[in-house]
Amino acid sequence: MTKISRMHGATGDSEGRRDAGFRLARDGNQRGGADGDTRHESGTTTKVRPQTKRPNLYRVLLLNDDYTPMEFVVLVLQDVFNKSRDEAMKIMLHVHNQGVGECGIFPFEVAETKVTRVMDSARKNQHPLQCVMEKE
């Protein structure tokens, strides 16, 4: 049988009181330090959670030109932005008719990477396709 008893004594600090402690006794046998008592300090711990804010988002836009083939734009939208064939066609036609079209909204690093991939692909294939990003 385990019982916990509160211990009060008259020795310890300058006022003649001892800090309250706890003694753990098992069937009359004391366990603990050299004098047989085990002290437990209690306190309140607080968990501090840092305030995080959502990252700024950026719109990735394709700009129309008169020289880049429509099929190349569709392939870029499928490859870089993971659009389905139908979605890529709709975006490509919007770019063609309106002069600019949104490919997606991403955090800064992702948007920057996608713009770079589009521009590299266009350059490798000798197309003047332009892709830009703007803060939302």
Side-chain angles (χ1 to χ4, degrees), residues 18-78:
R18 185 176 187 180
D19 289 340
F22 290 96
R23 179 185 297 171
L24 178 65
R26 291 182 186 262
D27 298 328
N29 295 329
Q30 294 179 352
R31 301 181 71 183
D35 61 351
D37 69 281
T38 303
R39 295 179 187 261
H40 298 280
E41 293 185 23
S42 62
T44 304
T45 59
T46 57
K47 195 172 198 178
V48 178
R49 292 186 182 172
Q51 294 288 27
T52 56
K53 68 176 193 174
R54 292 187 140 324
N56 293 326
L57 297 178
Y58 292 80
R59 297 171 57 202
V60 177
L61 306 171
L62 278 180
L63 306 178
N64 188 40
D65 65 76
D66 294 332
Y67 302 102
T68 304
M70 292 181 181
E71 188 59 31
F72 179 76
V73 175
V74 170
L75 291 174
V76 165
L77 288 166
Q78 288 177 306

Side-chain angles (χ1 to χ4, degrees), residues 59-104:
R59 297 171 57 202
V60 177
L61 306 171
L62 278 180
L63 306 178
N64 188 40
D65 65 76
D66 294 332
Y67 302 102
T68 304
M70 292 181 181
E71 188 59 31
F72 179 76
V73 175
V74 170
L75 291 174
V76 165
L77 288 166
Q78 288 177 306
D79 181 48
V80 176
F81 297 97
N82 299 318
K83 302 292 184 185
S84 69
R85 180 100 176 139
D86 290 338
E87 285 179 303
M89 288 292 286
K90 287 178 185 175
I91 294 170
M92 179 273 301
L93 288 173
H94 188 275
V95 170
H96 181 70
N97 294 324
Q98 304 298 319
V100 66
E102 183 179 291
C103 303

Side-chain angles (χ1 to χ4, degrees), residues 60-63 81 103 114-115 118-119 129-133:
V60 177
L61 306 171
L62 278 180
L63 306 178
F81 297 97
C103 303
K114 290 191 182 287
V115 168
V118 170
M119 297 299 288
L129 181 65
Q130 294 293 306
C131 186
V132 295
M133 58 189 249

